[in-house]
Amino acid sequence: MISVDDARSLIEQRCTPISAEPGPLNAVSGRILHEDVVSPEDLPAFSRSAMDGYLMLAEPATASLRLAGEILAGDPPRQPEPGETLRVSTGCAVPETGVCVIRQEDVSVTGNLITVRTKIVAGSSIRQRASQAARGDVLLARGIRINPGAIALLASVGKTHPLVAKPVPVFHISTGREIVDASRTPGFGEIRDSNSPMIAALLADQCASLVGHAKLPDDPSQLRATLESPIARNARIILISGGASVGDHDHTKECLLATGFDIVFAGVAMKPGKPLLLAQRGETLAFGLPGNPLSHFVCFHLFVRHALASITGAPPPERFTAPVPHDLRKLQDPRETWWPCRSSPFDLIAWRDSSDIRHLASANALVRIPALADPTHSDNLTGFLL
Ligand code: AMP
Ligand code: MG
């Protein structure tokens, strides 16, 4: 059995980066940017009014100004004449220097005359050209995960097809003769498949595309045939749910060996998820994930997500620290434990065993509880956000 850290570095070493493709803005949310996005223009591209109000010279000749017209949003800017003012609305173009906008709340209007009731300062209520970014500035750096804010920024500079990592093709195989689809009423001793829908949701968040899903009994010949199929050969990652352990009906390891995979490791010194195994055939990595749903979840976040990040160039998850609980010894196990929790305020979720997902929905992080024999002492626990 190897340590969690060693397992993660072996995974990293076995991953080949995936190539990039231009993706339309409506399909790049959550994907990894593979280029620096440089601003093709100043932001804003022209000086514009920040308010509904009146445009005037910064040094008006008189306190009362004649209303001489209006600049409409979308029109080119115009300079008011001395003694005159122009009506403006938020976002309309204004000259770059020598003017200001006075909000309509700060003037009194008598017929055609506008009297300013506040101090006049050059540039007030104007969003100056290039005040947010100059042409040539890097707006978004290669390697970030694109979120809705980034999508808005990309759209605002006309970058409609940013270069993003291709989605990683993942094939999920659920094994176990007792497992039935969640839509079915289980017979006695049968268990609804919760791993498959959970994996589909986890993959959707991690730049992966679920290219296939198979449901198999504990039959080695069917598992071998599935691992030989074109869909398995073309997947970058194969996730095999269940059968990773050493029971008489756990066939994952032998089937992987029989279909041309090398075993990278089998067993990780952790709780939950000890039976996890990793195998490799060319560019394809196969994870044998323990079937218990909590183990499945934890192993996905610690290992599968790490593989996906190594392939796509995704940034590492955000880390956090938490105070060591008073009753730490009660929580410790001979193996290090990765415990689903809330990061802030820090709170461990309750779980009785690795099949127990009663409270999993409220977790937003995993925290590492050191093994009982771990000699490293620290004031804090560390973990990462999901
Ligand atoms: P295994 O890893 O095959 O030994 O399975 C461990 C436990 O997880 C058993 O109780 C299985 O019934 C259960 N299990 C396996 N696959 C799933 C699944 N897809 N959904 C929910 N539970 C599962
Ligand atoms: Mg099983």
Side-chain angles (χ1 to χ4, degrees), residues 174-175 178-179 191-196 241-244 250 290-293:
S174 140
T175 71
E178 78 283 22
I179 306 301
I191 291 180
R192 289 192 188 89
D193 180 3
S194 52
N195 290 343
S196 301
S241 160
D250 293 329
N292 269 316

Side-chain angles (χ1 to χ4, degrees), residues 46 70-79 92-95:
F46 56 91
E70 179 172 13
I71 307 177
L72 294 172
D75 281 353
R78 268 170 25 229
Q79 184 95 11
C92 78
V94 299

Side-chain angles (χ1 to χ4, degrees), residues 302-351:
L302 265 177
F303 303 110
V304 181
R305 191 172 154 190
H306 190 56
L308 290 169
S310 303
I311 294 171
T312 61
E318 220 175 294
R319 300 221 144 240
F320 77 102
T321 57
V324 172
H326 300 302
D327 53 354
L328 177 68
R329 284 195 77 81
K330 266 203 277 173
L331 304 169
Q332 282 179 302
D333 185 89
R335 290 169 281 159
E336 74 179 62
T337 306
W338 283 85
W339 204 298
C341 63
R342 300 257 353 134
S343 57
S344 169
F346 180 58
D347 193 18
L348 294 167
I349 71 155
W351 54 289

Side-chain angles (χ1 to χ4, degrees), residues 29 32 53 71 122 141-142 212 220 230 243-244 280 286 291 293 297 319 329 366 377:
S29 187
I32 307 307
I71 307 177
R142 183 191 169 97
Q280 183 174 26
F297 181 87
R319 300 221 144 240
R329 284 195 77 81
L366 287 180
H377 291 288

